[in-house]
Amino acid sequence: MVDEQSSRVPVDNIRTLLYYLGLAIDGRMSQYRRGTPYENVRPSDVRVFVRASRGTYTISEIARELQITRQAAQSSVQRLIKLQVIALKNLPGNKRDKVVIITPKGELASKTARQQIGDLENELAEMIGKEKLEDLRISLGIMLERLNDTLTQQA
């Protein structure tokens, strides 16, 4: 728990730990991509790709979901198109908006990413144990859901 009497924010507060854990996970995932066609893919591009692979979304919808600007999402989409892992498709009856679709090459990249995530989670399980890792997953899910509920109620 945070000592409220201290004049400094502790370095081991949950926000800071989660932030640096996220950076470390992004770094480890980058190591997994070394030597592949995707070694220079940015973590932000990965997030756009993952979001696009979970359904049919426009660039604007992806940007809103990831809480980034449409321009940032558009830049990621353009880089991913160059890698041939996604494409844009016209929406029926809508000449302006396009949806992001995963290409066959993108499906292979997604399969590889699932394997890499499995490898990462196995590494984490070796560090703290499978049960603690699963407890952490459940706890993080609960905290995320409750904080999002709070944000929605106060919006």
Side-chain angles (χ1 to χ4, degrees):
M1 296 297 291
V2 174
D3 177 8
E4 294 178 16
Q5 303 301 317
S6 175
S7 62
R8 296 180 185 215
V9 176
V11 291
D12 66 346
N13 71 78
I14 294 297
R15 172 68 182 95
T16 298
L17 290 171
L18 288 173
Y19 175 76
Y20 284 112
L21 179 61
L23 292 178
I25 287 171
D26 285 348
R28 188 66 177 120
M29 295 302 290
S30 290
Q31 287 178 333
Y32 287 149
R33 289 191 301 272
R34 278 195 193 136
T36 74
Y38 312 111
E39 71 180 322
N40 294 318
V41 171
R42 301 174 186 192
S44 57
D45 296 347
V46 172
R47 287 187 284 278
V48 168
F49 178 79
V50 168
R51 180 34 98 198
S53 70
R54 292 185 176 156
T56 305
Y57 300 100
T58 65
I59 294 171
S60 294
E61 289 169 331
I62 291 170
R64 269 191 302 279
E65 179 68 26
L66 296 177
Q67 298 180 17
I68 60 176
T69 65
R70 188 185 185 289
Q71 291 80 8
Q74 178 70 33
S75 294
S76 286
V77 165
Q78 291 306 314
R79 287 189 292 270
L80 293 168
I81 288 172
K82 284 182 184 176
L83 288 171
Q84 300 175 344
V85 295
I86 65 169
L88 295 175
K89 180 179 172 185
N90 288 328
L91 277 172
N94 185 334
K95 294 182 180 181
R96 181 176 166 254
D97 290 328
K98 297 181 184 329
V99 292
V100 179
I101 59 167
I102 304 301
T103 64
K105 189 174 179 180
E107 291 294 339
L108 290 173
S110 186
K111 182 179 179 182
T112 300
R114 281 191 301 275
Q115 178 62 49
Q116 291 170 343
I117 289 167
D119 292 345
L120 174 70
E121 290 195 6
N122 286 335
E123 281 185 52
L124 296 173
E126 287 177 22
M127 292 174 195
I128 65 172
K130 287 182 180 182
E131 189 174 308
K132 285 184 179 179
L133 183 62
E134 191 55 33
D135 288 346
L136 177 61
R137 182 190 323 277
I138 291 166
S139 295
L140 290 171
I142 291 168
M143 288 186 281
L144 178 60
E145 182 180 342
R146 301 258 173 90
L147 283 172
N148 281 334
D149 288 348
T150 300
L151 290 171
T152 301
Q153 291 170 3
Q154 294 179 358

